[in-house]
Amino acid sequence: MTKKQISTEPYKGVRDFYPEDQFVQDFLFETMRTACERFGFEAYSASILEPADLYRSKGNDEIVNDKTYTFTDRGDREVTLRPEMTPSVARMVAAKRRELVLPLRWYTIANVFRYERPQRGRLREHWQLNADVFGAEGVEAEAEVIALAHQIMLDLGATEHDFEIRINDRRLLNELFSASALSDAEIRTVTKLLDAREKLTDFDEKLAGAIGAERADKLKSGLSSAASSAHLEELLSLLYKLGITNVHVDTSIVRGFDYYTGVVFEVFDTAPDNRRSLFGGGRYDGLVTIFGEEPI
């Protein structure tokens, strides 16, 4: 009987880093770390393993059931390889809420895992920089995080013509959802459709299928007429004062996760052959409440 030969290929959706690749990754990470620490952010870390309930806590089982590596360990505990860092850092802040002096500026560069179809620019394992401010209610926190993102792009060699920053406010979107009388389940579905809108050729059909043609038309009309808000204009003004001019309001920006409570933003590549979102973020004042804490 011939022994089966083990393949030298890595697991689907992950990659090996040979020395020349590791050199590039080290350069990227060091550039990010240097920028974060210049802005006063402190490094933290956490395990890649989290209880699966951490990602079910907002009433959305889809990310656990369809998008994560989730398994039952030998102690009969349901465990997930982290698909993102935000719930983990919120858990850490909630755990030591009484000991921490706010505001906090924390950052980490973490590898995360998502069970999805590998494609250009999207693998099952990737690394992402997380920079979070806790304990700041004003628009200055958004300006600081966006300014950090802007600086990192410049430090990596981009010019302001190579990328643009688009901002929106989830409160504007929530008003439209309320006007269209959407249920919580419908809001989750519609948010994900809006987040993937640029990639969908059948967006109108899927939206009508999710909430009905009449409400879909009302929602699209509201989205097209929504302009800005006092909060967004204050943020724009502050960013302009910081010398960041490649930024504008885009009411189609929603971000896929349902924990966002205010300003959201995305950074887009402006190159004609790669016009897509590179990364983004947003305000999530209520996430620590799932651990029994007051909003931060």
Side-chain angles (χ1 to χ4, degrees):
M1 184 176 180
T2 304
K3 186 176 180 180
K4 183 179 178 182
Q5 183 172 323
I6 299 174
S7 172
T8 59
E9 292 294 314
Y11 172 73
K12 184 177 181 180
V14 307
R15 54 183 295 199
D16 297 320
F17 288 83
Y18 288 89
E20 59 271 25
D21 303 311
Q22 190 62 53
F23 178 84
V24 175
Q25 189 187 66
D26 288 346
F27 165 73
L28 294 171
F29 288 2
E30 185 57 32
T31 301
M32 293 173 182
R33 289 190 190 99
T34 300
C36 286
E37 290 173 10
R38 282 208 320 269
F39 272 66
F41 285 70
E42 298 179 287
Y44 74 95
S45 187
S47 172
I48 64 171
L49 297 174
E50 288 282 10
D53 283 346
L54 181 62
Y55 307 104
R56 289 199 173 104
S57 57
K58 298 293 284 185
N60 183 7
D61 286 354
E62 181 187 358
I63 190 171
V64 174
N65 296 338
D66 301 334
K67 301 288 188 181
T68 65
Y69 287 86
T70 296
F71 59 94
T72 302
D73 70 8
R74 293 178 183 178
D76 204 30
R77 292 169 289 256
E78 196 175 22
V79 180
T80 296
L81 292 182
R82 62 188 179 203
E84 53 159 335
M85 276 300 291
T86 305
S88 295
V89 70
R91 175 183 58 73
M92 291 172 65
V93 170
K96 294 202 170 186
R97 173 68 182 88
R98 304 296 177 267
E99 304 169 38
L100 297 171
V101 179
L102 302 178
L104 304 174
R105 292 175 177 85
W106 284 4
Y107 83 92
T108 192
I109 301 173
N111 58 332
V112 298
F113 303 83
R114 296 179 186 174
Y115 194 87
E116 55 190 349
R117 182 171 62 86
Q119 53 189 294
R120 180 183 175 224
R122 187 178 291 270
L123 299 176
R124 288 178 171 174
E125 179 187 25
H126 69 274
W127 281 256
Q128 62 182 36
L129 166 68
N130 286 256
D132 297 90
V133 177
F134 288 90
E137 294 182 9
V139 71
E140 295 81 11
E142 281 90 344
E144 185 170 315
V145 171
I146 292 171
L148 173 59
H150 179 270
Q151 187 61 54
I152 288 171
M153 292 295 289
L154 298 183
D155 290 349
L156 289 171
T159 71
E160 284 206 338
H161 300 293
D162 295 322
F163 67 99
E164 63 181 17
I165 304 166
R166 305 179 188 177
I167 62 173
N168 193 19
D169 193 330
R170 284 289 287 265
R171 286 166 292 200
L172 287 175
L173 195 61
N174 290 339
E175 289 174 6
L176 294 175
F177 288 160
S178 178
S180 298
L182 301 187
S183 67
D184 289 345
E186 288 173 330
I187 287 173
R188 285 194 291 270
T189 299
V190 170
T191 299
K192 287 178 173 56
L193 286 174
L194 289 171
D195 192 42
R197 188 173 187 174
E198 291 192 0
K199 304 172 190 173
L200 297 175
T201 57
D202 57 348
F203 170 78
D204 290 346
E205 291 81 359
K206 286 188 173 180
L207 184 64
I211 60 175
E214 185 177 341
R215 287 194 296 168
D217 288 341
K218 182 177 181 180
L219 181 60
K220 286 187 292 184
S221 175
L223 287 169
S224 63
S225 62
S228 186
S229 68
H231 198 82
L232 288 173
E233 293 304 312
E234 183 182 359
L235 175 57
L236 279 177
S237 176
L238 189 50
L239 290 171
Y240 290 158
K241 289 177 182 177
L242 294 172
I244 300 170
T245 58
N246 58 336
V247 57
H248 66 269
V249 174
D250 181 349
T251 55
S252 70
I253 300 298
V254 298
R255 304 290 291 158
F257 293 116
D258 60 0
Y259 50 61
Y260 290 116
T261 57
V263 169
V264 290
F265 74 94
E266 290 193 0
V267 177
F268 278 77
D269 190 341
T270 58
D273 58 345
N274 193 45
R275 292 189 63 84
R276 66 191 194 92
S277 175
L278 300 173
F279 60 91
R283 178 175 284 272
Y284 54 96
D285 291 347
L287 190 52
V288 296
T289 63
I290 66 175
F291 306 103
E293 291 292 329
E294 292 296 314
I296 301 177

